Amino acid sequence: MQRAIDIFYKFLEVLLILLLAGMAVMVFLNVVLRYGFNSGINASDELSRYFFVWLTFIGAVVTFREHSHLGVETLVMMFGRKGRIICMILSNLIVLLCCSIFFWGAWMQSGINFSMKAPVTGLPMLFVYGIGMFTGAGIAIIAIERLVRLVTGRVTEEEIAAFAGENLTIEQLAERT
C-alpha cells in the first residue's frame, strides 16, 4: 500500500513539473509572438493562469505530506515528546476542519462552475475550481491518517522531529528566515 501511495505522490510531483513547464512555455511563446510577430495565442493566457492555480493547489497537497508548510517550530521545539504529539494532534484537527470547509465550499460551487464556461477556451470552470475538491480531500486524507497514527501510537520519532523542525539542516533553516 505504501508503495502505491509513493507512486501517486511521485506522479503528482511529475505533474507539478509538467504544469510549471507548460506554463513557462506558453507565456514565453506568447511573449515572443506578441513582440516579434504582433500576434499571440489567446488560449495560452487563460491556460497558463489555470495551470498556475493547479500548480498551487496540487503543490499544497504534496507540501503537506512532506511537512513543509509553515509551522511554529520554535514553540514546538520547547516541548517534550508528549507536548509535541499534543501539538501534532491539535494542528491536524485544525487542518482537518479547514480542509472540510474548503472541500464543502468547492463542492457547493461545483454545480455553478460546471455550467459556466471559460471565456476563451470554453472549458467548464469546474475544470479550474474543481481542483479545490482535490486539495481539500487530499490534505484531509493525510491529516486523518496522521491522526489515526498519533492516537494509536504508531507515529515515528522521525515524524515528530520533522514536525518540530529538527530534521532540517542549517542551510534549510537559513532559507526560512
Side-chain angles (χ1 to χ4, degrees), residues 3-4 6 11 18 28 32 37 41 45 54 60 72 76 78 99 101 112 127-129 138 144 150 166 168-169:
R3 181 160 155 60
D6 290 339
F11 167 74
L18 292 174
F28 177 76
V32 169
F37 302 100
I41 304 170
D45 287 338
W54 281 32
V72 188
V76 177
M78 292 194 284
C99 285
I101 293 168
I112 296 167
F127 181 74
V128 180
Y129 296 112
I144 289 169
L150 283 163
E166 291 180 348
L168 301 176
T169 65

Side-chain angles (χ1 to χ4, degrees), residues 20-92:
L20 183 61
M23 191 172 69
V25 166
M26 283 188 288
V27 169
F28 177 76
L29 184 62
N30 224 18
V31 167
V32 169
L33 287 173
R34 283 195 179 144
Y35 288 108
F37 302 100
N38 202 21
S39 70
I41 304 170
N42 294 334
S44 72
D45 287 338
E46 194 171 276
L47 285 176
S48 64
R49 283 193 303 272
Y50 298 163
F51 281 17
F52 184 69
V53 170
W54 281 32
L55 183 75
T56 304
F57 282 79
I58 294 170
V61 176
V62 173
T63 302
F64 186 70
R65 180 182 189 234
E66 296 172 354
H67 297 279
S68 297
H69 278 284
L70 289 175
V72 188
E73 287 111 358
T74 52
L75 175 68
V76 177
M77 278 188 204
M78 292 194 284
F79 296 126
R81 185 181 200 283
K82 189 171 274 195
R84 291 176 183 187
I85 289 175
I86 291 170
C87 285
M88 288 176 79
I89 290 171
L90 289 174
S91 68
N92 279 300

Side-chain angles (χ1 to χ4, degrees), residues 103-167:
F103 180 87
W104 183 71
W107 178 263
M108 296 303 290
Q109 290 293 314
S110 64
I112 296 167
N113 290 327
F114 186 74
S115 64
M116 294 176 55
K117 303 290 183 206
V120 177
T121 60
L123 290 170
M125 292 307 288
L126 183 62
F127 181 74
V128 180
Y129 296 112
I131 195 69
M133 288 184 283
F134 171 81
T135 302
I139 292 177
I141 289 168
I142 296 168
I144 289 169
E145 185 262 340
R146 286 181 184 166
L147 282 169
V148 167
R149 287 188 308 103
L150 283 163
V151 171
T152 59
R154 292 184 292 152
V155 66
T156 65
E157 292 299 322
E158 183 180 285
E159 289 175 281
I160 295 171
F163 181 75
E166 291 180 348
N167 63 336

